[in-house]
Amino acid sequence: MDKIIAANRRILALDFDGVIWDTEREGYIVGQKVWREIFGRWAFCPMSLFTSGRWLARTGEEFGLILLIGERLCLEKGGPEYVKEESGLRPVSAPAAAANWERGAWPTVVLAGKAAQWSCGPEPWGEEAEPFPGEVSSINLQNYAWSDFVAQGAALKNFLAFFGRRLAYWRAQSRRQNLADWLKPQPIYPGNLEVIKQALASFDGVSICTTKDRASVEALLATLDLKMLILSKEHTFDKKVQLYILATSFGVEGEQILFVDDLLDNLLKVRPLGVQVALAGWGYNCAKSRLEAKELGIPVLKHLSEVLEFAKGRPFN
């Protein structure tokens, strides 16, 4: 009887950033704080450029890579008037200087002109920020090659690990110092609260599987009095391992779990477990990845409410 009951169970697993919550603005803010701590100025990369490449990042560590790539593209397009001299700069902060990470992560130029003015100006996400130079404002990362991003991340793994640790520090500091200000730029997606409440009532289990830190997820959920099982980076960054833990915890097979993520790479990695997967079309992905998902037979959802049919045991999409 227990096996029969277990066989009818339905579990919903949701990524957090880009699926439940819209956190890309907060990611840019805390990423820029880390960059300034390390290098003594803001990354020459506007929020619009960062958010256009947010779909590339699998973890907060990779926010540093988006900023690095964004700055280099802007400087290349801006031309020599943006660069004062070659310098081989070292990081400003002592811990960063002692970290001895890959030299490819170090800025190699001193900024000049509009680039220097913007990078040394007010907070680039604030109302008093300097206007970003128009001649480079059209750059975006929507069509950036995923394979190139992954390769560059692998080549700079020590830098990104350091960046991730400092990101965690600044995120925790922001929460502690002014929780209201930290919460302000990161709302839940419209309609998701109502859907999650329905899911909690209709699924046999609802879990968050994320590479974000548990404390941040809990703080955001608490603003709406939501409580869910959370598998976070403190468990593992590997979504496949997270989903295995989830299946074992609930005593179900992979096909009884529906996992929704906004990053196609994560969905492809968990598929061998037999988990049913769907791409959050409203999240941090691009047209190319949505098209690829469809070609691979992975449903692309328009809204989170579409998951509710799975709880009824009906064919999903």
Side-chain angles (χ1 to χ4, degrees):
M1 181 61 69
D2 289 342
K3 289 184 178 180
I4 294 174
I5 293 173
N8 291 316
R9 303 185 88 188
R10 294 290 181 272
I11 309 300
L12 177 62
L14 301 171
D15 179 38
F16 192 78
D17 294 339
V19 173
I20 299 177
W21 235 269
D22 186 3
T23 61
E24 62 182 2
R25 181 178 173 86
E26 186 270 349
Y28 177 75
I29 292 171
V30 72
Q32 280 284 22
K33 288 180 178 179
V34 175
W35 191 278
R36 189 177 190 185
E37 174 198 343
I38 294 175
F39 299 117
R41 59 169 176 80
W42 309 116
F44 188 55
C45 175
M47 186 180 296
S48 60
L49 178 51
F50 176 86
T51 56
S52 76
R54 177 59 183 82
W55 68 277
L56 294 160
R58 294 161 293 183
T59 69
E61 294 179 352
E62 292 179 331
F63 292 174
L65 185 54
I66 296 175
L67 291 173
L68 184 68
I69 292 171
E71 173 168 291
R72 288 175 177 173
L73 290 176
C74 287
L75 293 176
E76 287 173 10
K77 185 172 181 179
E81 64 268 26
Y82 282 6
V83 177
K84 186 175 181 181
E85 61 183 56
E86 295 287 333
S87 65
L89 291 177
R90 291 189 64 83
V92 172
S93 76
N100 195 33
W101 64 63
E102 304 89 352
R103 291 197 61 84
W106 296 2
T108 57
V109 296
V110 174
L111 303 187
K114 295 178 184 178
Q117 183 179 357
W118 191 90
S119 292
C120 295
E123 296 173 341
W125 59 86
E127 294 180 359
E128 298 183 9
E130 294 282 345
F132 197 71
E135 58 266 32
V136 290
S137 61
S138 63
I139 299 173
N140 73 77
L141 296 171
Q142 275 290 296
N143 295 315
Y144 199 81
W146 167 252
S147 58
D148 288 349
F149 186 83
V150 172
Q152 289 175 77
L156 299 177
K157 62 180 182 180
N158 294 330
F159 166 67
L160 296 183
F162 180 87
F163 194 96
R165 290 193 294 273
R166 299 312 298 163
L167 188 92
Y169 167 81
W170 279 105
R171 181 167 278 157
Q173 280 290 92
S174 298
R175 287 199 315 269
R176 286 193 292 261
Q177 291 176 355
N178 194 324
L179 181 61
D181 277 357
W182 179 73
L183 293 170
K184 194 180 300 180
Q186 43 184 337
I188 190 171
Y189 283 108
N192 274 4
L193 176 59
E194 294 74 19
V195 174
I196 289 172
K197 287 181 176 179
Q198 292 179 62
L200 288 168
S202 56
F203 278 83
D204 297 295
V206 180
S207 174
I208 291 170
C209 295
T210 179
T211 58
K212 198 180 191 74
D213 64 285
R214 183 185 183 90
S216 292
V217 174
E218 288 180 334
L220 290 166
L221 292 177
T223 64
L224 299 175
D225 294 322
L226 287 175
K227 290 185 178 180
M228 284 181 275
L229 173 65
I230 301 170
L231 295 174
S232 60
K233 74 172 191 177
E234 286 83 3
H235 292 87
T236 174
F237 281 102
D238 190 327
K239 293 288 181 80
K240 185 177 180 181
V241 176
Q242 289 184 359
L243 268 293
Y244 178 80
I245 293 171
L246 186 64
T248 303
S249 299
F250 281 102
V252 298
E253 300 298 325
E255 60 266 20
Q256 293 169 255
I257 298 175
L258 171 60
F259 176 49
V260 182
D261 201 305
D262 62 325
L263 186 61
L264 179 59
D265 186 63
N266 285 335
L267 300 180
L268 296 177
K269 287 180 178 176
V270 306
R271 267 182 131 183
L273 295 175
V275 173
Q276 297 197 49
V277 297
L279 185 71
W282 62 90
Y284 309 141
N285 44 59
C286 62
K288 183 178 179 181
S289 62
R290 292 191 291 273
L291 177 60
E292 186 179 348
K294 291 178 180 179
E295 291 174 346
L296 292 170
I298 295 175
V300 178
L301 308 184
K302 295 180 179 178
H303 192 267
L304 189 61
S305 59
E306 295 178 51
V307 306
L308 296 175
E309 289 301 304
F310 185 78
K312 302 172 185 176
R314 297 175 182 170
F316 180 68
N317 249 343

